[in-house]
Amino acid sequence: MAKRFAEHNGLNLTKVNSEMLEKWMKEDIFHRSVEEREGCPQFVFYEGPPSANGHPGIHHVLGRALKDAFNRYRTMKGFQVKRKAGWDTHGLPVELSVEKALGITKADIDNPESPRFIST
């Protein structure tokens, strides 16, 4: 019976990872996974920066890994998955930091008589 999977004696995961990354880069696997599904149902994943209001930490790496699992799953299910990265997806934490930096309070926002009133 032929072996279905390669057997590795003295497995060097760093080497396997490097070889796989080289193959993905050479064959442009990521971009092909998006382009080859043109016309399929779309799954759009909006992702903000890892640390809008603080220092990056290990929890950002874990979050990214979990979010990537959803994108890979949807790709395997036949969806065209376009990732959208940017500040526009972070919303409230950035808004609150800007208000704090500018000295804008809830009273300024709610009171049209305030010189700092912001009309929406």
Side-chain angles (χ1 to χ4, degrees):
M1 181 168 141
K3 291 187 179 180
R4 191 168 184 182
F5 299 103
E7 213 175 288
H8 294 278
N9 293 327
L11 181 60
N12 180 343
L13 290 176
T14 304
K15 182 179 176 200
V16 171
N17 185 55
S18 296
E19 290 169 357
M20 190 57 60
L21 180 60
E22 185 180 323
K23 175 184 169 94
W24 273 57
M25 298 292 280
K26 187 175 93 181
E27 297 181 21
D28 200 20
I29 300 291
F30 175 76
H31 292 109
R32 282 181 41 209
S33 77
V34 176
E35 293 165 3
E36 288 179 1
R37 288 166 179 82
E38 194 68 46
C40 293
Q42 288 195 356
F43 178 77
V44 181
F45 191 85
Y46 293 95
E47 181 181 13
S51 57
N53 295 85
H55 297 290
I58 190 64
H59 57 284
H60 294 112
V61 174
L62 295 172
R64 284 254 165 120
L66 288 172
K67 290 184 261 185
D68 187 53
F70 285 95
N71 293 323
R72 288 174 185 243
Y73 174 75
R74 288 298 195 166
T75 298
M76 289 188 292
K77 292 303 249 177
F79 286 82
Q80 183 183 37
V81 181
K82 294 182 179 178
R83 280 81 164 175
K84 303 278 186 178
W87 288 96
D88 59 327
T89 62
H90 231 289
L92 189 59
V94 173
E95 189 176 323
L96 294 175
S97 289
V98 170
E99 288 173 3
K100 184 177 179 181
L102 296 176
I104 298 171
T105 65
K106 184 169 178 4
D108 294 326
I109 295 168
D110 293 338
N111 181 4
E113 302 299 319
S114 169
R116 294 182 184 221
F117 176 69
I118 300 170
S119 170
T120 54

